[in-house]
Amino acid sequence: MTVGALLRSLPPLLHLVSVPLGWAAALGHLCSGRHPLPILWIMPQTAEPGGSNLTEALLPAVQLALQHLSRQPAPLRNYQLQLHFADTQCDNAKGLKAFYDALFYGPKYFIVFGGLCPSVTSIIAESLQGWNLVQLSFAATTASLADKKKYPNFFRIIPSDNAVNPALVKFLKRYGWNRVGTLTQEVQSFPVVQKDLIKQLEKANIQIALTETFSQDPCESIRNLKVNDVKIIIGQFDELSATKVLCCTYHLNMFGGRYQWLIPDWHQESWWSPSGLVNCSSQSLLKAMEGSISVDYETLSAKQIRGVSGRSPQEYQREYDKWREEAGVESSRLHGFAYDGIWTVAKTLTRVMEVVRHKERYSIHQNFTISQKELGQMVFEAMNETNFFGVTGQVLFKDGERIGTMQFTQIQGKKVKIGEYNSITDVLELNRKIRFPGTAPPRDQTLVRPQRKEINVLLYCILSSVTILGMLMASAFLIFNIKNRSHRHILTISTETVIPNMNNLIILGGMLSYSSIFFFGLDGSFVSEEVFETLCTVRTWILTFGYTLAFGAMFAKTWRVHAIFKNVKLKKTAIRDLRLVAVVGGLLLIDLCILISWQAIDPLRRTVEVFSLELDPLGEDIALRPFLEHCENTHMTTWLAIIYVYKGFLMLFGCFLAWETRNVSIPALNDSCYIGMSVYNVGIMCIIGASVSYMTRDQPNVQFCVVALVIFFSSTVTLCLVFVPKLITMRRDPDSATQSAWYQLTQGIKRDVEDTQRRSSITSVVQTSSSRLYSLQTENQGLRRRVMEVNKSPALIGWFESNMDFGALGRNKCRTLPQNSRTSRNGAKDINSPEQLQRRLSLQLPILHHAYLPSIGGVDASSASPSNSTSSLSKHAAMATCSYSHVPTRL
C-alpha cells in the first residue's frame, strides 16, 4: 500500500503521521520511553490536476528523518516528534477550518510544520502570533511571506523567491554588467520579486535601463528592450509564458553572443515543448534559449560533507531513493528541505525542552509552570538560533528566512551547473563550464565609442599651405609698397612720406584675414577643450579686425578722393594720412566695443552636438556616436546680426563712395571700379560661404574648406585688385609711366578745377560780372572824351592812327578796304567826308565792343583780365573794322 493510500484511510481530522504498516511497529518501539512533542503538519493531501501529490512524495524523507533522529544520542533521542496531519486542500476556507479544528480538538502543538499553497499559508501564518505558535515551511517560496511585520512567527527552511536576487547581483558584478533590463510577468509573486530586485540593483549601483511587464503577449515588451539597447535581461515568468518569451526572442533575433538572458530555473521536463500558443518549433525555442543562465536555490548540497545526521547529502539521496522506490512514489525536488525541516524542528524543540527541564529543576517554586506565550517565545528564539549543516547545505536563519546556497545553471544543449552562490559568506563560485555563445561575455549595452567629427589633417595642411602662399603674396605687396613709398605713382593720393598710403593697412587686414584660417581649422583633435574655447573668441576677433582694416582703409582712401573732388566752394582741402588712420581707428573702435560687449555679456562657449548612433560595420557589439564641437552662445543670432548689419553698412558706404567718384578722370586716384569689384566679390563669397557653411554644419571638413576658401579668395582678390595694376604699370615703363601719371594728374586736376568753376553759384558770377562792368564803363567814359577830342583835332587823329595803327590792322584783316585812299591831306578838314567817318568808326567801335561784350557773355572770364586788354583790343578792332568796312558812302 502506498503512503497516499494509507493517509486516505486514516481519519481526516487529526492523526499521527502514518507510515507503512510494517514501519508503525518499529516507530512505536523507537518511541517507547521517549517524551512526545506534538507537531501540526499542514499540507494538501490531494494532488493538483495533472500534477503529482507533493505530500506523498515528501513522506519518505520525513520518515527517514524521524528514523535518523531516533538513532541520535541524547538529548535528541529523549524526545519523539508526533506529526499530526491537517489537509488544507489548497483552499483558503478549507485550510483555515482544518487548522482551527486541529487546534481545538488536538493537543497543544509546539510548532506548525509545512505549508505549500501561498494563499492558505499566508492566512495561517498571519494568525500564528495570536496562537503563540511558530511555523516552519519547507515548500512555500512566496516572497510576500518575508514581510515580518505581517508574518512575524513564520520561518521557512527553503529559500524564498527573493533569495535569488543577491545571487543575481553578485553574478552581474562578476562580469561587469552595470546596465540591465527586467521582463516580469504580472502574475503570482513575480512583481514582488521584481520590486526587491530593483532595490538590490540600486544598492549595487547597477543601472536599470528598462523595466517591462506583460500579462499575455510579451513581444511588445521584448521589442522595447531591444529598442532601448538592453543586452542583459532578467526574466521573471512561469513555464507557460517562457515559451512565448523565447519565441518572441527568436523572431526578434535577441539571442546569441550579443544578449544574455537570466531566467528562472524550471524543473518541469520538456517545458520548452511548443504549444498551440506560439509560432515556433522546438528547435527554434532551444536555439533561442541556448546560453541562457538560470539561478535557483540548491535542492541538495554538492559538498561531500557529513552533516548533522552523520550522512553526506549524497548518502542521504541514495537512502531516500530506496525508500521512495519501496513506497512506489515519485521524487520531489523539495525532499531535502523536508528532511532538514524535521531536523530543524527536532533540534529546536529539544533545546527548548532542555531549557524548560533545567528551569523546572532549579526553580524555587514547587509547582513550576510555563505559559503558552513564554513557550512560544522560547521556540521562536531557539528557531532563530538554528545553525547546522544539513543535506541542503548550511541551515541558518536571518529574520526567519533561510540563508542558503543558490546554484547557477546554463543551457548548453542541456542543463549544466556552472557555479553556486553562498548567501552566508556572500561568495560566488563559478567553474570553467560556463560558456558564452560569443567569443566573450556580452556587453551590458552596445559599446558606444564617441567619435569626434574632426577636420582631416591632410585637408588642414593643404589649406594651411595655400594660406601661407596668400600671406607671402601679401608680404610681397607690403615690401613693394614700402620700397616704392617715395614714387610718384604710389604717392598720388598720399600727403605724407612717413606713411606712404593706406595700402599698408589694406595689406595688414588681408594678412589678419588669412591668419584666421589657421584658427578655424583647429578643433578638439588638435587642442584641449579650454584652448578650443579660447580659439572661439580669438578667431572671431581676428577676422573682424582684418575685415575692418582691409575695407576700412580702402573706403578711407576713396573718401579722401571724394572729399577733394566734390569740394564745390573751392576751399583748400588737405586730408592727411594720419586723419585717414584715425578714421580706420574709429571703425576698429566700433568693432572693439561690439566684441567686448559680446565677450562680457554672452561669451562664446564650446558646445557639443551629439548625433545618432552608427553601428559598427564589422558587426561587433559596438556603435559609434559621432559628436561635433561648435562655438556658440545663448544669443548667437543676435550678435551675428549686429556684426552683419555693421559690416553691411560699411560696405554700402564704400559702394556709395565708389559711385560718387566714378567720374574722376585720374586713373591713379579712381579706384571705384576696383572697390566695386572687391565689394561684389566679398559680398557674393560671403553669401555663398554663409549658406554652404550653415548647410554643412554637421560636416566639419566641408565647412572648414568652404570657410577657408571664402576667406582666401576674398582676401586674395581684394589685394590683387589694389596692387596688381600698380605692379603691371611699374613693370611696363617705370619712367614714362611715372611722367604720364604725373601729367595726367596735373591736367586732370586743372580740368576738374575748371569744371568746378563753371559749376560755381550764379550769385558769385553776377557779382564778379557787375564789378568788372563798372570798371569797364568808367574806362569807356574816358575813351569817349578822347574820341570827342580827336574829332575836334584832325592832327590828333593822325597821331592816334600812327600809334595804334588801326587802319593797318583793318587793311590786314579786311581785304575789302581800299589800299590807296583817294583823299588828300587837304580833305581832312571835311569831317563828314567818307574818309573821316571810316576813321572815327575804326576807333570807336572797338572800344565799345571791348567795353560791353563781357556783360553779355561775348568775352570769357579768362580774357577779361587786364593783362589781355591790349590783345583783345586789337582783336576786336579788327573784327569791328571787318564788320563795318562795307558801310555805304552815303553814311
Side-chain angles (χ1 to χ4, degrees):
M1 180 182 295
T2 64
V3 177
L6 180 59
L7 288 175
R8 285 191 294 272
S9 65
L10 294 176
L13 179 61
L14 192 65
H15 53 266
L16 183 67
V17 169
S18 301
V19 295
L21 294 179
W23 297 348
L27 287 176
H29 176 73
L30 290 173
C31 293
S32 59
R34 301 169 62 188
H35 186 74
L37 301 175
I39 307 298
L40 179 59
W41 185 9
I42 55 174
M43 285 287 288
Q45 181 179 341
T46 57
E48 297 181 359
S52 61
N53 191 322
L54 182 60
T55 304
E56 187 179 77
L58 294 177
L59 189 57
V62 174
Q63 292 174 332
L64 193 59
L66 292 175
Q67 185 187 62
H68 292 165
L69 281 170
S70 65
R71 297 175 183 177
Q72 294 297 314
L76 283 176
R77 65 178 302 174
N78 297 334
Y79 303 96
Q80 177 189 5
L81 300 181
Q82 292 183 349
L83 300 177
H84 297 260
F85 188 82
D87 185 8
T88 63
Q89 302 181 40
C90 272
D91 182 86
N92 294 345
K94 295 179 180 180
L96 193 60
K97 181 179 183 302
F99 175 68
Y100 285 152
D101 287 344
L103 294 179
F104 182 77
Y105 293 107
K108 298 292 183 180
Y109 297 106
F110 288 91
I111 289 178
V112 177
F113 182 68
L116 173 64
C117 303
S119 59
V120 178
T121 304
S122 62
I123 292 176
I124 295 176
E126 193 172 1
S127 63
L128 291 174
Q129 191 175 13
W131 296 98
N132 296 313
L133 290 175
V134 174
Q135 180 180 359
L136 177 65
S137 174
F138 55 85
T141 62
T142 306
S144 59
L145 291 171
D147 185 1
K148 292 307 166 185
K149 293 182 179 180
K150 192 174 183 179
Y151 313 105
N153 288 11
F154 179 80
F155 288 80
R156 51 184 161 193
I157 198 170
I158 186 173
S160 70
D161 294 334
N162 287 342
V164 301
N165 293 334
L168 283 173
V169 172
K170 198 72 174 181
F171 188 80
L172 294 174
K173 283 295 186 182
R174 170 64 65 88
Y175 289 98
W177 293 330
N178 295 317
R179 184 177 182 271
V180 299
T182 62
L183 180 65
T184 306
Q185 184 181 6
E186 294 178 338
V187 294
Q188 300 179 1
S189 63
F190 292 126
V192 180
V193 178
Q194 181 196 37
K195 184 178 180 180
D196 181 75
L197 175 62
I198 292 175
K199 292 181 180 179
Q200 298 280 350
L201 293 174
E202 291 176 348
K203 186 178 179 180
N205 294 323
I206 296 178
Q207 178 188 359
I208 304 173
L210 189 64
T211 300
E212 287 290 327
T213 59
F214 69 95
S215 57
Q216 296 297 328
D217 186 11
C219 292
E220 185 64 28
S221 299
I222 297 175
R223 188 177 293 107
N224 292 336
L225 292 171
K226 183 176 183 179
V227 170
N228 286 271
D229 193 41
V230 179
K231 303 295 183 180
I232 311 301
I233 305 171
I234 301 175
Q236 296 164 334
F237 37 81
D238 55 25
E239 294 95 329
L240 182 61
S241 297
T243 56
K244 299 179 182 178
V245 171
L246 292 175
C247 187
C248 295
T249 301
Y250 178 80
H251 289 302
L252 293 174
N253 197 28
M254 291 181 64
F255 61 92
R258 299 177 60 183
Y259 292 88
Q260 183 61 59
W261 284 83
L262 301 173
I263 57 179
D265 188 7
W266 301 290
H267 304 280
Q268 181 181 351
E269 294 184 2
S270 302
W271 60 265
W272 57 83
S273 298
S275 62
L277 300 177
V278 296
N279 186 23
C280 291
S281 62
S282 299
Q283 291 76 12
S284 300
L285 295 178
L286 289 173
K287 185 176 181 180
M289 66 183 297
E290 182 69 20
S292 62
I293 295 176
S294 302
V295 57
D296 200 0
Y297 50 82
E298 192 175 43
T299 58
L300 205 66
S301 178
K303 296 180 180 180
Q304 301 288 338
I305 300 177
R306 293 184 180 274
V308 65
S309 64
R311 294 165 180 79
S312 66
Q314 292 74 26
E315 292 173 345
Y316 158 76
Q317 179 69 43
R318 287 192 293 269
E319 288 188 48
Y320 168 76
D321 290 338
K322 180 180 178 181
W323 280 54
R324 179 182 58 79
E325 291 173 359
E326 291 179 357
V329 295
E330 297 181 358
S331 176
S332 170
R333 58 189 298 265
L334 301 179
H335 66 85
F337 295 105
Y339 179 86
D340 282 345
I342 294 296
W343 274 92
T344 301
V345 171
K347 291 180 70 66
T348 298
L349 294 182
T350 299
R351 184 177 179 180
V352 170
M353 297 309 296
E354 289 298 313
V355 172
V356 172
R357 179 179 294 183
H358 179 77
K359 287 184 178 182
E360 183 180 9
R361 179 180 299 177
Y362 295 100
S363 175
I364 59 175
H365 303 287
Q366 185 175 1
N367 296 323
F368 174 79
T369 59
I370 187 171
S371 65
Q372 185 70 22
K373 184 177 182 179
E374 291 176 337
L375 183 61
Q377 184 64 29
M378 292 175 65
V379 173
F380 178 85
E381 293 175 355
M383 184 79 73
N384 242 342
E385 296 174 359
T386 301
N387 188 359
F388 65 90
F389 186 82
V391 295
T392 59
Q394 194 71 26
V395 178
L396 186 66
F397 297 100
K398 181 179 180 181
D399 296 330
E401 296 294 318
R402 167 75 182 273
I403 304 176
T405 302
M406 302 292 111
Q407 70 174 4
F408 289 87
T409 57
Q410 187 181 33
I411 302 298
Q412 300 177 4
K414 61 180 181 177
K415 186 182 294 186
V416 177
K417 183 179 180 180
I418 59 174
E420 62 182 27
Y421 169 75
N422 192 326
S423 303
I424 302 174
T425 60
D426 192 28
V427 174
L428 175 65
E429 296 179 357
L430 297 176
N431 54 40
R432 298 183 179 179
K433 294 182 180 180
I434 187 170
R435 185 177 63 193
F436 295 100
T439 57
R443 297 183 175 90
D444 56 5
Q445 61 181 329
T446 301
L447 180 60
V448 179
R449 293 180 179 175
Q451 185 181 50
R452 176 184 286 107
K453 284 192 171 187
E454 58 187 31
I455 295 175
N456 186 272
V457 178
L458 179 61
L459 176 64
Y460 181 77
C461 294
I462 293 174
L463 292 178
S464 297
S465 302
V466 174
T467 302
I468 292 174
L469 293 178
M471 298 185 73
L472 291 176
M473 180 194 70
S475 301
F477 288 155
L478 181 61
I479 295 173
F480 165 79
N481 203 58
I482 295 175
K483 183 178 179 181
N484 299 280
R485 63 183 180 275
S486 59
H487 203 286
R488 290 183 177 180
H489 191 62
I490 304 299
L491 285 172
T492 52
I493 196 61
S494 178
T495 59
E496 301 287 341
T497 58
V498 179
I499 306 176
N501 49 39
M502 302 302 292
N503 293 340
N504 291 344
L505 293 181
I506 297 176
I507 297 172
L508 179 59
M511 296 184 72
L512 284 176
S513 300
Y514 281 134
S515 62
S516 67
I517 296 177
F518 298 111
F519 298 109
F520 274 104
L522 296 176
D523 54 17
S525 60
F526 295 98
V527 297
S528 62
E529 295 181 3
E530 294 77 11
V531 176
F532 179 83
E533 192 166 293
T534 304
L535 290 177
C536 291
T537 303
V538 171
R539 66 191 188 186
T540 303
W541 286 49
I542 290 179
L543 184 59
T544 303
F545 287 151
Y547 176 89
T548 302
L549 279 176
F551 282 91
M554 185 184 300
F555 297 158
K557 285 174 51 179
T558 310
W559 170 75
R560 178 159 61 182
V561 175
H562 177 271
I564 292 175
F565 288 95
K566 296 298 179 179
N567 184 12
V568 179
K569 296 183 179 181
L570 293 178
K571 293 183 179 180
K572 182 179 180 181
T573 303
I575 303 176
R576 299 182 179 274
D577 283 352
L578 287 176
R579 185 175 176 185
L580 300 185
V581 172
V583 172
V584 177
L587 297 176
L588 291 175
L589 183 61
I590 297 175
D591 281 337
L592 189 63
C593 292
I594 295 175
L595 293 175
I596 291 177
S597 301
W598 188 350
Q599 184 67 21
I601 298 174
D602 191 14
L604 288 171
R605 301 293 186 187
R606 173 185 176 270
T607 60
V608 178
E609 181 183 3
V610 180
F611 299 88
S612 58
L613 289 175
E614 298 178 359
L615 296 179
D616 183 20
L618 300 179
E620 298 182 3
D621 199 13
I622 300 175
L624 304 178
R625 185 179 293 279
F627 71 94
L628 184 59
E629 297 168 308
H630 296 291
C631 293
E632 293 179 343
N633 54 10
T634 306
H635 306 286
M636 188 72 174
T637 305
T638 303
W639 293 109
L640 289 178
I642 293 174
I643 294 293
Y644 291 158
V645 169
Y646 167 54
K647 300 300 180 184
F649 277 123
L650 184 60
M651 295 186 70
L652 290 176
F653 180 68
C655 293
F656 167 75
L657 294 177
W659 177 261
E660 285 291 310
T661 59
R662 69 189 184 280
N663 293 325
V664 175
S665 57
I666 307 171
L669 298 180
N670 189 358
D671 290 336
S672 61
C673 179
Y674 301 141
I675 292 175
M677 295 174 64
S678 298
V679 171
Y680 177 81
N681 166 66
V682 172
I684 294 298
M685 295 296 289
C686 288
I687 293 174
I688 295 175
S691 302
V692 176
S693 177
Y694 179 79
M695 290 186 294
T696 59
R697 190 172 183 270
D698 58 341
Q699 304 178 38
N701 287 316
V702 177
Q703 187 183 45
F704 171 62
C705 185
V706 170
V707 171
L709 292 178
V710 166
I711 296 175
F712 177 81
F713 281 112
S714 298
S715 302
T716 302
V717 170
T718 300
L719 293 176
C720 290
L721 287 174
V722 174
F723 291 99
V724 169
K726 292 180 175 56
L727 288 172
I728 295 175
T729 304
M730 297 290 293
R731 183 175 180 81
R732 286 177 178 175
D733 193 356
D735 297 332
S736 62
T738 302
Q739 295 172 2
S740 175
W742 182 250
Y743 176 76
Q744 292 178 8
L745 171 64
T746 56
Q747 294 299 320
I749 291 176
K750 183 176 180 181
R751 287 193 300 269
D752 289 339
V753 171
E754 291 177 353
D755 292 340
T756 304
Q757 290 176 348
R758 284 194 299 268
R759 289 193 299 267
S760 60
S761 64
I762 301 300
T763 304
S764 177
V765 173
V766 171
Q767 292 176 354
T768 304
S769 300
S770 300
S771 176
R772 183 60 181 165
L773 180 60
Y774 176 76
S775 61
L776 291 176
Q777 288 175 350
T778 304
E779 184 180 358
N780 189 30
Q781 292 177 1
L783 293 175
R784 283 175 179 273
R785 289 192 298 268
R786 296 193 63 181
V787 169
M788 293 176 63
E789 293 176 357
V790 170
N791 290 334
K792 294 178 180 180
S793 177
L796 185 58
I797 292 176
W799 176 84
F800 193 78
E801 278 186 343
S802 63
N803 284 277
M804 300 303 292
D805 199 14
F806 288 142
L809 181 60
R811 288 191 298 269
N812 292 332
K813 299 297 182 179
C814 260
R815 294 179 181 178
T816 57
L817 293 176
Q819 298 296 329
N820 297 319
S821 178
R822 296 180 182 179
T823 61
S824 63
R825 201 169 183 86
N826 294 329
K829 296 179 181 180
D830 188 1
I831 61 174
N832 291 323
S833 62
E835 292 82 359
Q836 293 298 327
L837 180 61
Q838 182 178 354
R839 290 179 181 178
R840 287 198 303 271
L841 288 176
S842 64
L843 178 63
Q844 293 175 356
L845 290 178
I847 295 173
L848 295 174
H849 179 75
H850 179 74
Y852 290 101
L853 282 181
S855 64
I856 61 174
V859 182
D860 58 0
S862 61
S863 62
S865 60
S867 61
N868 297 331
S869 59
T870 305
S871 60
S872 300
L873 182 61
S874 302
K875 175 181 177 182
H876 294 294
M879 293 173 59
T881 306
C882 296
S883 301
Y884 295 94
S885 58
H886 300 286
V887 177
T889 307
R890 62 179 178 268
L891 288 174

